[in-house]
């Protein structure tokens, strides 16, 4: 019995939250405490939508489609790369009160604007203005259907108000967090002061089994029987939502209690046109006027001006002489990170060695920026530290809140799940094998970088609001930082004292050219060919050096004992120890150490599929790893981002002779230097641009990544401004690398309409997920020279 009891209590640990008081009060996101941030574009996974920062928010959104063209797959809703839009994203967004987005579809552009107005007890009112314009007047103006919707999520209710046959003029509703409210749909006009336009209307009022099903419900309800017949044009039948089919769908649902209200207002109209949608909160009583028409235009103008002013005073790009087009680009990069912030609520699926099956983590909220609105619109732990380097310059309060949300997710062991896949909408985007998060897995503690920035800003601007809230914030954060740091120190330690090792590398070595290390964030970056307990990883060593230093600082500020952190920091900062553990005299670079051989390659092999599998008995050919020379304990011969870490995180002393080698590798076009930024792996590396499996293209084996390049320019700036033998060299390289990065990310944006996940080291072209305004948006800081 005792053994059983022990087992089950161990099994519960992974899902037991840390007992220290949360950094955020339970009501911290409520409209009473934080009215300005209640409503927001917190649904980064849809092209356009809003929700409140609450667990079961009413959501609003927009779907659209082009009529009279190939209909299949033409319905737009969630951000999908497969939609092949020519670009979309927020051009302006202040993170609080307004935003302007442009969406470039095949032959027309939608401009989606939001303006909020405070009042009442539920986060106030807001208005949307959607403006549609065709791209070229050479062809006939496209007819577009906009489908505005509102949906509840388990609690609350919505009533559709229909006038003039099929026109849904408004939706009234009520929910726990919003009280009573009303959404009014304006009629389309040709422009702000222009008259009305011919339009057809349709609506759908139904129930939905979940927010992840909204697209399907609308798709399944589409019917082609409706006729578009403008005064001077031809009669044509068009697609519209039609309630009958959905009733069938509804009947298939088993649990009616779990169904939520879903109302869609479809308006079908030819470009150009403009439509406004007005949300009014029932508790907002002394409203001077409605936020529509010229009132809205005036408000928008004011916010845009304020945004421009704040942008210039924060980043100073005009003063630096950037062109207005470059500044637009930088505004778009920042705005899409701000406008791409999500408020997610739900549970991770996690597992420890004590759990036979994955288990559900406690429910909780996460307010976070996301790397990519299309491909991974959710929180990633180490991405977030980079995001906050940019957002902290814009709004330190925001950064504090985001860090608090992440640390409030920590469990009693001191572990934070790396990838936050919290609700059905998020889960619907992830293949099942990637959903479960394992509690032995780390991810670089970049939130310490963000904390470092917060502390520096506090020193520079002691009078600011965020500096004043800093102490109470740090006090509540501190026990969580301590356990987080200790978790790294204990669970990711290497065999030798003061060395560190990423856990969670791929186990089945024979299927991969080099088993991946997803937890390091650098996925397929080459490590020891044969994972073992003897490994030590130089990037993790450096992250721990940084983290211990920040821990010591925070402890000192709070008047807590700081000796232990300081000792760790002093030990790890000692370049002799670093050299001893990680400098390879043969390779002349900082390196990982482990059981390694360079003599590996992928070979075709005929194998029989095991009995029971569909193609049993037939030989199939697959790639397996062949090892031509046995591995032995040695330094790992890879040259790339990992080798640079002692420099990237400022751990090298400025007079270290190793600087010479590092700067040489950086500036060598045969190794890391390209006209577009530093490549992730040297061109001379045996694994440069090598696939890891048949289906796994090189990722961190050559391409240029902006987060590490940001750290590199920052380091060059650092070593270029302090005394030392390499000062001038660093300062020169700083200018060149900075220019190359800015020019290429900007050029790709102009050419493709997107900021990208990574850039080709041979052509500079953007590649991978897009839009990617996570850490690639750090280009703004590189432009501003804010490090
Ligand atoms: C798997 C795909 C429809 C990989 O930016 C997020 C992370 C980084 O933290 C990491 O360093 N990216 C980098 O190497 C993207 C990870 C995406 C995983 C998505 C499922 C969905 O399929």
């Amino acid at each position: 019995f005792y053994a059983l009891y022990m087992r089950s209590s161990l099994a519960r640990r992974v899902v037991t939250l840390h007992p220290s008081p949360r950094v955020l009060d339970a009501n911290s996101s409520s409209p009473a405490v934080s009215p300005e941030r209640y409503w927001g574009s917190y649904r980064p996974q849809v092209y356009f939508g809003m929700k409140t920062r609450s667990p079961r928010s009413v959501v609003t959104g927009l779907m659209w489609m082009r009529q009279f063209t190939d209909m299949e797959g033409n319905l737009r809703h969630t951000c999908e790369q497969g939609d092949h839009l020519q670009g979309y994203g927020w051009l302006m967004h202040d993170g609080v009160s307004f935003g302007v987005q442009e969406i470039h579809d095949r032959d027309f552009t939608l401009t989606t604007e939001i303006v909020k107005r405070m009042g009442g007890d539920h986060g106030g009112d807001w208005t949307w203005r959607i403006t549609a314009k065709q791209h070229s007047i050479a062809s006939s103006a496209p007819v577009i259907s906009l489908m505005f919707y509102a949906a509840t999520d388990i609690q609350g209710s919505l009533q559709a108000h229909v006038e003039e046959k099929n026109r849904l003029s408004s939706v009234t509703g009520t929910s726990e967090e919003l009280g009573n409210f009303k959404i009014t749909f304006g009629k389309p006009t040709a422009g702000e002061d222009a008259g009305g336009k011919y339009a057809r209307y349709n609506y759908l009022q139904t129930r939905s089994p979940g927010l992840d099903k909204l697209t399907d419900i609308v798709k399944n309800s589409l019917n082609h029987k409706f006729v578009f017949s403008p005064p001077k044009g031809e009669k044509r039948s068009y697609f519209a939502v039609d309630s009958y089919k959905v009733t069938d769908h509804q009947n298939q649902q088993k649990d009616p209690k779990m169904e939520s209200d879903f109302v869609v207002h479809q308006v079908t109209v030819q470009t150009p046109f403009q439509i406004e949608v007005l949300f009014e909160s029932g508790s907002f009583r002394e409203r001077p006027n409605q936020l529509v028409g010229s009132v809205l235009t005036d408000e928008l103008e004011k916010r845009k001006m304020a945004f421009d002013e704040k942008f210039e005073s924060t980043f100073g790009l005009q003063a630096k002489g950037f062109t207005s087009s470059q500044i637009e680009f930088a505004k778009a990069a920042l705005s899409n990170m701000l406008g791409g912030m999500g408020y997610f609520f739900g549970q991770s699926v996690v597992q420890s060695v004590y759990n036979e099956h994955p288990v559900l983590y406690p429910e909780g909220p996460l307010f976070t920026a996301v790397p990519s609105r299309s491909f991974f619109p959710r929180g990633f732990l180490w991405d977030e530290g980079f995001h906050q380097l940019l957002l902290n310059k814009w709004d330190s309060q925001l950064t504090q809140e985001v860090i608090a949300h992440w640390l409030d997710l920590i469990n009693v062991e001191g572990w934070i799940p790396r990838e936050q896949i919290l609700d059905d909408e998020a889960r619907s985007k992830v293949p099942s094998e990637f959903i479960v998060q394992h509690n032995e897995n780390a991810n670089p503690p970049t939130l310490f970088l963000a904390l470092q920035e917060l502390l520096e800003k506090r020193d520079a601007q002691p009078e600011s609001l965020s500096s004043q809230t800093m102490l109470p914030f740090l006090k509540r954060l501190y026990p969580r930082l301590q356990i987080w740091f200790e978790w790294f120190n204990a669970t990711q330690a290497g065999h030798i004292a003061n060395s560190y090792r990423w856990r969670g590398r791929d186990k089945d070595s024979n299927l991969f050219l080099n088993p991946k290390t997803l937890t390091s964030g650098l996925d397929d970056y080459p490590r020891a060919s044969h994972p073992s307990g003897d490994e030590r990883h130089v990037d993790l060593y450096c992250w721990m050096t940084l983290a211990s230093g920040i821990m010591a600082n925070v402890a000192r500020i709070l008047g807590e004992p700081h000796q232990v952190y300081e000792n760790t920091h002093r030990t790890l900062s000692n370049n002799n120890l670093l050299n001893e553990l990680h400098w390879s005299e043969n390779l002349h670079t900082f390196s990982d150490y482990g059981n390694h051989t360079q003599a590996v390659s992928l070979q075709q092999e005929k194998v029989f599929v095991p009995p029971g599998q569909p193609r049993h008995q037939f030989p199939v050919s697959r790639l397996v790893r062949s090892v031509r020379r046995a591995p032995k304990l040695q330094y790992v011969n890879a040259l790339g981002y990992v080798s640079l870490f002692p420099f990237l995180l400022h751990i090298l002393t400025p007079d270290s002779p190793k600087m010479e080698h590092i700067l040489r590798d950086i500036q060598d076009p045969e190794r890391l230097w390209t006209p577009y930024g530093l490549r992730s792996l040297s061109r001379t590396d045996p694994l440069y641009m090598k696939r890891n499996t048949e289906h796994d293209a090189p990722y961190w084996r050559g391409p240029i990544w902006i987060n590490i390049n940001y750290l590199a320019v920052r380091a060059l700036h650092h070593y270029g401004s302090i005394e030392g033998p390499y000062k001038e060299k660093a300062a020169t390289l700083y200018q060149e690398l900075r220019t190359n990065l800015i020019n290429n990310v900007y050029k790709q944006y102009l050419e493709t309409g997107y900021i990208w996940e990574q850039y080709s080291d041979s052509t500079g072209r953007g590649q991978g997920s897009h839009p990617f305004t996570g850490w690639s948006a750090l280009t703004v800081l590189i432009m501003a020279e804010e490090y």
Side-chain angles (χ1 to χ4, degrees):
F1 172 78
Y2 181 72
L4 205 69
Y5 170 79
M6 277 307 289
R7 224 189 132 69
S8 81
S9 87
L10 285 172
R12 270 199 313 273
R13 274 176 69 79
V14 66
V15 291
T16 305
L17 291 179
H18 192 262
S20 69
R22 291 183 171 243
V23 187
L24 295 162
D25 293 326
N27 64 355
S28 70
S29 302
S30 71
V33 174
S34 180
E36 275 91 6
R37 290 196 199 280
Y38 200 47
W39 274 107
S41 52
Y42 305 131
R43 306 178 64 210
Q45 71 277 18
V46 297
Y47 288 117
F48 191 54
M50 282 171 68
K51 64 179 281 193
T52 56
R53 295 204 305 168
S54 53
R56 303 266 164 232
S57 169
V58 169
V59 304
T60 59
L62 172 69
M63 304 185 199
W64 74 90
M65 63 186 178
R66 168 91 148 81
Q67 296 285 355
F68 315 126
T69 139
D70 48 328
M71 280 304 303
E72 294 305 311
N74 192 1
L75 182 73
R76 318 285 201 207
H77 180 215
T78 51
C79 301
E80 301 294 341
Q81 284 178 191
D83 286 344
H84 300 294
L85 300 191
Q86 293 165 29
Y88 62 93
W90 296 98
L91 303 182
M92 290 183 161
H93 200 301
D94 65 1
V96 180
S97 77
F98 100 112
V100 179
Q101 178 178 233
E102 267 181 21
I103 302 169
H104 303 283
D105 207 333
R106 236 175 300 169
D107 48 3
F108 58 91
T109 292
L110 298 178
T111 306
T112 66
E113 294 170 303
I114 302 175
V115 177
K116 282 164 59 181
R117 181 150 77 181
M118 285 303 111
D121 311 321
H122 299 90
D125 295 352
W126 49 257
T127 302
W128 292 353
R129 177 181 279 170
I130 316 295
T131 310
K133 290 202 175 92
Q134 74 182 111
H135 285 169
S136 103
I137 42 169
S139 52
S140 72
V143 173
I144 302 168
S145 293
L146 299 187
M147 293 136 153
F148 295 100
Y149 67 80
T152 61
D153 188 12
I154 299 177
Q155 56 88 22
S157 66
L158 300 170
Q159 294 83 40
H161 302 276
V162 180
E163 63 182 39
E164 306 156 38
K165 267 170 66 185
N166 279 332
R167 192 178 107 79
L168 197 156
S169 59
S170 66
V171 172
T172 53
T174 175
S175 76
E176 282 163 21
E177 72 270 11
L178 285 172
N180 295 326
F181 57 87
K182 180 176 182 187
I183 304 172
T184 308
F185 300 104
K187 289 188 175 175
T189 63
E192 192 190 318
D193 301 312
K197 291 203 71 155
Y198 171 82
R200 287 296 318 263
Y201 299 101
N202 302 81
Y203 76 94
L204 178 67
Q205 172 154 38
T206 183
R207 310 274 290 168
S208 110
L211 295 178
D212 55 319
K213 299 293 188 304
L214 302 183
T215 316
D216 285 346
I217 293 175
V218 167
K219 264 192 185 152
N220 291 335
S221 86
L222 291 180
N223 192 322
H224 200 231
K225 72 182 179 190
F226 305 98
V227 180
F228 191 78
S229 158
K232 277 180 237 131
E234 56 172 320
K235 275 193 182 164
R236 287 183 285 182
S237 58
Y238 71 98
F239 283 92
V241 291
D242 185 3
S243 30
Y244 294 107
K245 276 195 185 164
V246 176
T247 315
D248 300 341
H249 175 92
Q250 190 185 330
N251 288 341
Q252 293 162 11
Q253 294 313 316
K254 285 168 208 95
D255 183 0
K257 274 204 307 270
M258 292 299 281
E259 293 189 1
S260 308
D261 281 340
F262 180 35
V263 181
V264 185
H265 163 69
Q266 177 174 347
V267 43
T268 303
V269 58
Q270 188 165 35
T271 60
F273 66 86
Q274 184 173 301
I275 295 185
E276 290 172 5
V277 176
L278 171 65
F279 175 94
E280 290 172 304
S281 167
S283 62
F284 190 162
R285 288 199 191 80
E286 288 95 47
R287 190 177 282 118
N289 46 29
Q290 281 196 317
L291 190 55
V292 291
S294 61
V295 177
L296 177 67
T297 305
D298 291 349
E299 273 301 319
L300 257 173
E301 282 315 308
K302 270 193 233 156
R303 315 274 168 115
K304 286 181 186 171
M305 261 167 54
F307 175 84
D308 286 343
E309 271 166 31
K310 183 172 175 187
F311 191 85
E312 181 58 21
S313 72
T314 309
F315 301 110
L317 299 190
Q318 233 164 339
K320 283 191 180 296
F322 283 103
T323 66
S324 55
S325 162
Q326 287 170 319
I327 295 172
E328 299 296 292
F329 152 77
K331 285 179 183 166
L334 170 77
S335 297
N336 211 51
M337 187 188 279
L338 276 168
M341 296 209 59
Y343 185 86
F344 305 97
F345 190 90
Q347 303 171 271
S348 288
V349 183
V350 304
Q351 193 164 16
S352 76
V353 290
Y354 302 108
N355 306 111
E356 200 175 328
H357 301 289
V359 284
L360 285 175
Y361 209 67
E363 245 186 359
L366 179 62
F367 182 47
T368 185
V370 303
S372 168
R373 289 176 55 195
S374 57
F375 216 56
F376 13 97
R378 52 185 176 274
F380 287 81
L381 183 52
W382 91 301
D383 294 64
E384 200 50 32
F386 287 107
H387 300 159
Q388 293 311 318
L389 294 180
L390 176 59
L391 295 185
N392 181 48
K393 303 282 185 221
W394 184 254
D395 183 348
S396 296
Q397 283 298 117
L398 183 74
T399 295
Q400 287 184 18
E401 232 192 298
V402 169
I403 294 178
H405 269 99
W406 275 95
L407 267 300
D408 275 347
L409 288 170
I410 205 164
N411 78 359
V412 65
E413 304 165 313
W415 174 65
I416 305 175
R418 173 168 62 104
E419 188 173 342
Q420 295 284 328
I421 312 167
L422 294 182
D423 52 29
D424 288 342
E425 254 185 301
R427 271 188 284 272
S428 71
K429 284 217 153 192
V430 187
S432 54
E433 69 266 31
F434 294 118
I435 289 182
V436 180
Q437 305 290 308
H438 296 267
N439 76 334
E440 60 270 25
N441 291 351
N443 204 206
T446 55
L447 291 177
F448 283 107
L449 278 176
L451 270 172
Q452 186 176 35
E453 285 297 310
L454 273 174
L455 298 183
E456 278 170 18
K457 204 167 164 185
R458 173 176 176 263
D459 290 342
Q461 304 170 7
E463 301 304 315
S464 71
L465 175 67
S466 67
S467 299
Q468 287 161 21
T469 56
M470 187 78 75
L471 268 188
F473 164 71
L474 289 179
K475 263 203 188 100
R476 289 167 79 159
L477 200 64
Y478 190 62
R480 290 164 181 274
L481 289 179
Q482 283 185 295
I483 182 100
W484 198 35
F485 179 82
E486 278 154 25
W487 180 87
F488 273 96
N489 222 3
T491 70
Q492 312 290 305
H495 277 172
I496 296 188
N498 298 309
S499 72
Y500 293 93
R501 172 168 72 89
W502 296 111
R503 304 306 199 267
R505 291 194 63 192
D506 283 338
K507 298 217 167 52
D508 196 350
S509 314
N510 287 332
L511 297 180
F512 311 100
L513 185 58
N514 185 280
K516 290 206 267 197
T517 318
L518 293 177
T519 52
S520 72
L522 309 171
D523 297 19
D524 62 341
Y525 185 94
R527 307 279 183 169
S529 61
H530 291 66
S532 76
D534 290 314
E535 266 179 282
R536 42 184 200 256
H537 296 123
V538 62
D539 51 338
L540 184 51
Y541 176 98
C542 295
W543 286 119
M544 295 306 291
T545 312
L546 171 88
S548 56
I550 308 298
M551 283 306 294
N553 281 345
V554 176
R556 222 177 290 117
I557 290 172
L558 293 176
E560 296 275 342
H562 45 84
Q563 212 51 56
V564 177
Y565 300 120
E566 227 154 64
N567 290 346
T568 307
H569 186 60
R570 199 169 322 109
T571 306
L572 296 178
S573 298
N574 179 344
N575 280 203
N576 293 333
L577 175 66
L578 169 69
N579 294 341
E580 210 175 284
L581 290 174
H582 288 292
W583 180 259
S584 157
E585 233 357 287
N586 287 339
L587 307 164
H588 292 295
T589 104
F590 287 108
S591 314
D592 288 345
Y593 182 89
N595 192 24
H596 181 64
T597 170
Q598 162 177 355
V600 293
S601 57
L602 289 180
Q603 306 279 337
Q604 292 284 346
E605 188 187 83
K606 293 250 184 278
V607 290
F608 285 91
V609 177
Q613 303 237 334
R615 296 169 70 192
H616 170 49
Q617 295 302 328
F618 297 98
V620 285
S621 134
R622 63 168 189 185
L623 288 175
V624 292
R625 181 165 85 161
S626 101
V627 178
R628 293 185 309 278
R629 207 175 327 114
K632 62 168 195 219
L633 287 178
Q634 58 177 323
Y635 286 110
V636 178
N637 66 317
L639 174 62
Y641 287 168
V642 166
S643 336
L644 302 182
F645 263 80
F647 160 79
L648 295 176
L649 296 183
H650 308 183
I651 292 153
L652 275 191
T653 55
D655 59 354
S656 165
K658 313 297 189 238
M659 281 288 285
E660 171 120 29
H661 298 281
I662 291 205
L663 295 179
R664 186 205 57 207
D665 292 341
I666 284 181
Q667 67 180 317
D668 182 355
E670 278 309 303
R671 294 180 180 153
L672 302 182
W673 190 265
T674 86
Y676 322 107
L678 301 182
R679 56 167 72 87
S680 39
L681 191 62
S682 167
R683 219 153 81 150
T684 58
D685 195 281
L687 263 51
Y688 170 72
M689 287 309 276
K690 287 269 167 35
R691 305 182 80 81
N692 207 34
T693 70
E694 205 170 340
H695 310 288
D696 204 351
Y699 201 38
W700 294 83
R701 293 184 182 173
I704 296 159
W705 293 77
I706 304 302
N707 59 334
I708 303 296
N709 272 280
Y710 168 79
L711 293 178
V713 272
R714 174 178 170 268
L716 289 169
H717 187 262
H718 170 74
Y719 291 107
S721 38
I722 52 175
E723 284 316 315
Y726 308 100
K727 182 175 176 190
E728 259 140 58
K729 183 81 235 168
T732 311
L733 284 175
Y734 166 73
Q735 293 299 347
E736 291 174 19
L737 180 58
R738 172 173 179 260
T739 308
N740 287 351
L741 286 163
I742 296 171
N743 287 350
N744 189 56
V745 177
Y746 170 64
K747 173 167 176 259
Q748 297 302 318
Y749 178 74
L750 287 191
E751 283 177 9
T752 64
Y754 290 105
I755 293 174
W756 295 76
E757 183 182 19
Q758 37 156 270
Y759 294 86
S760 158
D761 65 318
S762 51
T763 64
R765 289 192 49 183
Q767 46 189 37
S769 169
H770 56 280
F772 189 103
T773 42
W775 59 47
S776 297
L778 295 183
T779 311
V780 180
L781 293 182
I782 300 176
M783 294 169 85
E785 307 192 85
E786 289 280 352
Y787 307 111

